[in-house]
Amino acid sequence: MPGASRFLADPYDFRPVTAGDLALLNSWIARPHVAEWWEEGFDIDDLRDPRVTHWLVTHNDQPFAFMQDYTPHGWEDHPFGYLPAGARGVDQFIGEAAMLGQGHGSGFIAQRVRALFAAGAPVVATDPHPDNARAIAAYRKAGFQVSGEDRDTQWGRIRPMLAYP
């Protein structure tokens, strides 16, 4: 069917964050809807950390969000350090407020998680703040389930959530 593949393609593109993207990411972090949950900005050293892969998320060629995936085994006492080898953790935010409330968060999270599973991850974890209802709802819609009690960690209070292939 002509044009059918256009509707089957994933709607989001993920490209590695570069030094040239740092100003954009840090401007997003300064916006109230992001600053409420994401306290630290980014610098070039963050991009060099081999434990973390940073992604700029675009839709229709327009950057609107940030996502990172990481190995939870890269930090001492990480809350997901008990997960099997190959597990990945994810964090994200939508920087462009106009894109909130339209299903983009759960959409790009689910798309990236599918890619992580396709690459061999046996499980993907995330840890939103328990008061971040928007993030928790997006993660649930993307296939994550709560996997334990809310708790305090060195990165703040979390609600542990896991997704399986």
Side-chain angles (χ1 to χ4, degrees):
M1 172 165 23
S5 64
R6 175 172 68 108
F7 298 106
L8 299 176
D10 287 326
Y12 305 100
D13 289 311
F14 296 80
R15 71 162 176 78
V17 172
T18 68
D21 298 318
L22 292 174
L24 175 63
L25 292 181
N26 289 324
S27 75
W28 285 344
I29 290 169
R31 294 178 184 180
H33 72 278
V34 178
E36 182 176 8
W37 308 109
W38 198 283
E39 297 176 3
E40 296 181 23
F42 292 95
D43 62 29
I44 195 69
D45 289 334
D46 294 314
L47 302 184
R48 294 179 180 142
D49 187 337
R51 302 170 295 185
V52 184
T53 305
H54 302 89
W55 302 100
L56 190 69
V57 186
T58 63
H59 181 62
N60 294 329
D61 296 322
Q62 296 299 312
F64 76 99
F66 166 80
M67 190 162 193
Q68 65 183 20
D69 59 87
Y70 61 89
T71 175
H73 305 106
W75 290 267
E76 188 173 323
D77 298 326
H78 193 281
F80 297 119
Y82 68 91
L83 293 174
R88 298 297 286 175
V90 295
D91 300 301
Q92 57 78 33
F93 61 78
I94 293 177
E96 296 297 336
M99 300 293 277
L100 293 170
Q102 299 177 34
H104 292 294
S106 59
F108 78 80
I109 293 166
Q111 182 179 322
R112 182 72 191 133
V113 169
R114 283 191 305 272
L116 292 169
F117 290 148
V123 60
V124 177
T126 193
D127 55 2
H129 190 283
D131 295 336
N132 191 343
R134 180 179 288 158
I136 291 167
Y139 284 120
R140 282 187 187 276
K141 191 174 175 185
F144 286 80
Q145 299 289 325
V146 173
S147 67
E149 298 294 319
D150 296 351
R151 63 182 182 260
D152 294 311
T153 73
Q154 63 185 339
W155 294 279
R157 189 139 183 88
I158 68 164
R159 174 161 297 162
M161 301 180 79
L162 300 176
Y164 292 92

